[in-house]
Amino acid sequence: MDIKVLGTGCKKCNMLANVTREAVRQSGIDATVTKVEDIVEIMQYGVMTTPVLVVNGEVVTKGNVPSVNEIIQILQSKHRN
């Protein structure tokens, strides 16, 4: 599973990266988490608000920091697809 956290390095963006890594660890799902801070790459996803969570190329959250459990639920639903 390919997971990207899009954000320019703000506090919320860093929090989302940390929470996402913890969710991956707790869920046991085989995933790579990458933090993307390049504004040009972020703009390619068509989002205007960060932080953004992208799973396998699909934007799944934007503008907020879900809890570890919420991210685990998202990852599990995407893992089944």
Side-chain angles (χ1 to χ4, degrees), residues 45-62:
Y45 287 90
V47 294
M48 301 298 288
T49 306
T50 59
V52 178
L53 184 62
V54 178
V55 177
N56 294 333
E58 178 186 347
V59 173
V60 294
T61 68
K62 57 186 172 184

Side-chain angles (χ1 to χ4, degrees), residues 5-48:
V5 176
L6 313 180
T8 56
C10 68
K11 184 177 179 180
K12 277 187 173 182
C13 299
N14 292 330
M15 283 176 50
L16 180 58
N18 292 335
V19 170
T20 301
R21 287 186 182 101
E22 180 61 19
V24 167
R25 186 188 71 72
Q26 286 185 25
S27 70
I29 292 173
D30 183 25
T32 302
V33 179
T34 307
K35 185 145 182 334
V36 178
E37 294 185 357
D38 178 37
I39 192 71
V40 174
E41 189 173 345
I42 292 170
M43 289 172 59
Q44 292 176 353
Y45 287 90
V47 294
M48 301 298 288

